[in-house]
Amino acid sequence: MKRRISDIMDGFRDGTVELESSTPLSSERIKELTMSKINQKKEKKGKRIGFRILVAAAAISLVTMTAFAAEAVLGSGDLFRSIFNNQLKKDKETVQQDDLDITVRETVSQGQIDVVNELGKDFQPVTQTSEGTTMTLSAAYADKNAIHLYFQAEAPEGTVLPDNIYYQFYDYNQDTGEDGFWDVLELAEDAPYEISGYQTYIEALQDDDPADNKKDFHVTITAQSGMEMRFNDGVSKLFHITGIYEQVLNVNGDEDGYERIAPGEFTFDIGLVNDAKMVELDVEGLTYGGHKTSTWTHEGPCIAPCQEVLTGETDPQTGLPIHSESWDYTVTAKSLTLTPLSADWKCEYTTSIKRIGQELNFCIVMKDGTSPMLYSGGGIHNEEECWSSGTMFFSTPIDLDEVDYILIGDTELNDTYKVYLP
């Protein structure tokens, strides 16, 4: 049976902070498919992060409005073009694998490139060299929820930066403590808020010579839902790099930490000032819902309440136990806000099974009939008051002028609304 992209957000099980899924095609599943190596770090409220900043203040590179240069030939969108096109290929594979009833673009449009050029402005590359390693920040763009960085690295001669492995820019194995590295992001002392949690993802881009000492990286940092921190508010945000680390696997092929293969300590100020277009949609009061049934299998051990929904049957292909659960629910939309990079939503709900909460289901449909893939940035679930909120990120930026409508509701129940941009 085919499913639509909105079906991936049918619901989530009880959680204290982050939304959790109740079906195999939940928003958490899409997050796993598209951001499988997100590293999530949290700082205790009221504590500052202690960093060993070994570079002089004058050496800290500022990627702010003062660093932008009008004479730059390429904008951020132009430099990210190949990254966007590669992501669209991954999106198409995900759609085919999960039998999602949507169509994604074949290639990124010039409108999308123009949007990112506008978001990121134009600036000359910012380069630092430390202990024989050179890091160049070549492009960046952001909205309030996320920032994307394009780094070009050159390790010391003789170092190999291969393709098809996972990288980090800090000591992933080091124990954290008051005087050590908590994480890679630090706010200026005069910042009007604290860092309470965010997610980082480092993607190594394939190159023509995977046996040389050069590698390009796409770094994504996203704020967790409910955070005060905004990436496009002009507040100084220091991004720390303590070297280039590659993932080490054990004899069974499982992750066994990271090992530094290129030294160097770097600090870039990524406090960009961007005027990202934002659209607030008129969705308050839209209500959908009905009777739902979810059937799934999983490999992990079954614990309560998972054991309570076992059917006693097994999947003939995998031999895994089959689970099935039914419930009644309604969702009432409270708000939905779009930028070219992300969407913030909030809803209220009712449910016949208290531990099964609900998210706001929505799918963005472009004028050419395609839809951007979404992945979850997490959210907040208030079980007692029955409301939830969260952030969804687009796998590639969208041109809001090319949005046809937003489909809100439950397509399986044929209970949906088309909402148009003002």
Side-chain angles (χ1 to χ4, degrees), residues 329-366:
Y329 84 101
T330 63
V331 170
T332 300
K334 299 297 292 182
S335 64
L336 178 60
T337 303
L338 302 183
T339 80
L341 308 184
S342 61
D344 292 318
W345 58 268
K346 185 174 182 178
C347 71
E348 297 175 345
Y349 62 88
T350 65
T351 178
S352 60
I353 301 179
K354 190 173 182 179
R355 59 185 167 77
I356 299 182
Q358 296 294 324
E359 299 180 357
L360 182 66
N361 294 356
F362 63 94
C363 174
I364 298 172
V365 181
M366 309 302 289

Side-chain angles (χ1 to χ4, degrees), residues 3 5 8 24-27 29-36 86-102 104 372-375 395:
R3 295 180 180 267
I5 191 67
I8 66 175
L25 291 178
S26 66
S27 59
R29 170 61 173 148
I30 289 298
K31 174 181 173 181
E32 291 171 359
L33 288 170
T34 57
M35 299 285 278
S36 59
N86 286 335
Q87 181 60 52
L88 289 177
K89 293 179 182 178
K90 297 176 184 177
D91 290 347
K92 291 178 73 66
E93 292 173 357
T94 299
V95 168
Q96 183 176 10
Q97 174 182 324
D98 284 358
D99 199 23
L100 300 177
D101 188 16
I102 66 168
V104 299
M373 288 290 290
L374 308 174
Y375 65 88
S395 62

